[in-house]
Amino acid sequence: MGPIRIGVSTALALCVAGGCFAQPPRPCFAWLLRGDVFVDCEGKKTQITRRGDIEEFAASIENSTFAYTVSRITGHKADVTESTYSTTVINLKSGAATNIDGMSGVTSMCGGLFSAIPRGVDHPRVRSVVSGEELTFQPYVWFRCDSGRKTVVGTTKNPGGELYEGVPPKTKIAGPGTFNAYQFNLSPDGTQVAYHEAGTLCVFSSPGPAQCVEAGTLAGSPSVNDAGEVLVGAGTGQECFYKTFYDFFPERPASVGHAGRDECLGIGYWKPGATSIEAVEPLGRNPQWIDPATAGRLREWAARQHR
């Protein structure tokens, strides 16, 4: 049986035919807005960083660690821009920070923070940004695992292939070409798999089938919690000016020179059974579920940095 499609939405849903829906539940989450990390939890929004150049970030609820990635342009060859990357890892309890040169992204999975992009051809592996431990689950080349590392989902071909669960692969979740092979995610307890492709957002929970919603523009990996609720960067239907892929704004300020135009991204919330994605933030990308304790530690760290 194929995935169940339960609704149609071309942008974040707030109002239809002059009537507005009730706002969705206020989740506890972090997200990226104009190159900085923000937290929204328990009715309070807080800016965590004040850099303006963060491209990716992740926070671990298991070991109180926060990491973010920045890049620096080093040159140009023909039409290609060459850049170097650096990931900063912060212990939220002690405040100690370390830098990892060359790591171009970070993600929260497998009970910690790991490099977002696997390295190696024969045995693709990801690296812990805290301990340096390397993880690999053969025959997967791109994968996610739960906090206890008992459930693994991933693809066995790069690029493309099917999305499977199990080691060895047992349960087929999605076929080739029906999901973004680099932007799927697994809930901390391993029961929920979120993925998207071509404007369709889906959640799979064994034994299936997946439940999906037509959603218009989607960007970045979805974040899914143990209840199957999803946060994702989603198109708003409004126009934005893009200084970079992570720094965009609805009105062009006089201080910005060249800026490309594209659809604005906001933070969308969806749970299986709902007929549309609903807006929880009008602007931003790269959302991640966190818990109140992690939100509190991020706020405490930010207060120490900015006082």
Side-chain angles (χ1 to χ4, degrees), residues 278-295:
E278 298 191 64
V280 291
E281 281 296 329
L283 206 65
R285 59 177 298 143
N286 295 65
Q288 182 193 327
W289 288 102
I290 57 176
D291 60 5
T294 302

Side-chain angles (χ1 to χ4, degrees), residues 187-262:
S187 63
D189 70 355
T191 64
Q192 313 288 331
V193 183
Y195 60 94
H196 64 76
E197 176 63 21
T200 301
L201 177 64
C202 299
V203 171
F204 173 88
S205 182
S206 185
Q211 296 190 55
C212 303
V213 63
E214 300 296 329
T217 301
L218 297 171
S221 294
S223 181
V224 59
N225 64 15
D226 295 344
E229 299 170 300
V230 180
L231 295 171
V232 66
T236 68
Q238 304 299 313
E239 182 181 67
C240 269
F241 292 92
Y242 278 73
K243 185 177 179 181
T244 64
F245 74 91
Y246 58 84
D247 186 3
F248 50 91
F249 26 85
E251 296 182 3
R252 181 172 186 162
S255 60
V256 175
H258 174 74
R261 297 184 180 186
D262 206 339

Side-chain angles (χ1 to χ4, degrees), residues 110 137 140 143-153 165-167 186-193:
C110 305
F137 293 95
Y140 292 114
F143 61 86
R144 295 288 184 266
C145 58
D146 71 316
S147 296
R149 305 181 187 178
K150 296 179 179 179
T151 301
V152 180
V153 298
E165 178 183 347
V167 180
L186 182 66
S187 63
D189 70 355
T191 64
Q192 313 288 331
V193 183

Side-chain angles (χ1 to χ4, degrees), residues 67-263:
Y68 60 82
T69 299
V70 300
S71 69
R72 179 174 60 88
I73 295 175
T74 58
H76 300 273
K77 285 187 178 180
D79 295 329
V80 178
T81 299
E82 297 182 327
S83 301
T84 60
Y85 291 87
S86 176
T87 293
T88 298
V89 185
I90 300 163
N91 184 310
L92 294 175
K93 292 182 178 179
S94 69
T98 58
N99 291 318
I100 304 175
D101 292 331
M103 185 176 289
S104 59
V106 63
T107 188
S108 178
M109 68 170 184
C110 305
L113 299 183
F114 288 82
S115 53
I117 301 175
R119 300 181 65 180
V121 177
D122 296 331
H123 302 284
R125 58 199 181 276
V126 294
R127 173 188 173 191
S128 167
V129 303
V130 176
S131 67
E133 171 193 15
E134 293 188 335
L135 286 182
T136 182
F137 293 95
Q138 294 298 310
Y140 292 114
V141 298
W142 200 279
F143 61 86
R144 295 288 184 266
C145 58
D146 71 316
S147 296
R149 305 181 187 178
K150 296 179 179 179
T151 301
V152 180
V153 298
T155 60
T156 60
K157 296 180 181 179
N158 190 12
E162 295 86 357
L163 181 62
Y164 278 102
E165 178 183 347
V167 180
K170 297 178 181 178
T171 303
K172 181 178 175 180
I173 297 173
T178 65
F179 70 101
N180 187 310
Y182 308 111
Q183 296 178 345
F184 57 88
N185 226 324
L186 182 66
S187 63
D189 70 355
T191 64
Q192 313 288 331
V193 183
Y195 60 94
H196 64 76
E197 176 63 21
T200 301
L201 177 64
C202 299
V203 171
F204 173 88
S205 182
S206 185
Q211 296 190 55
C212 303
V213 63
E214 300 296 329
T217 301
L218 297 171
S221 294
S223 181
V224 59
N225 64 15
D226 295 344
E229 299 170 300
V230 180
L231 295 171
V232 66
T236 68
Q238 304 299 313
E239 182 181 67
C240 269
F241 292 92
Y242 278 73
K243 185 177 179 181
T244 64
F245 74 91
Y246 58 84
D247 186 3
F248 50 91
F249 26 85
E251 296 182 3
R252 181 172 186 162
S255 60
V256 175
H258 174 74
R261 297 184 180 186
D262 206 339
E263 185 178 12

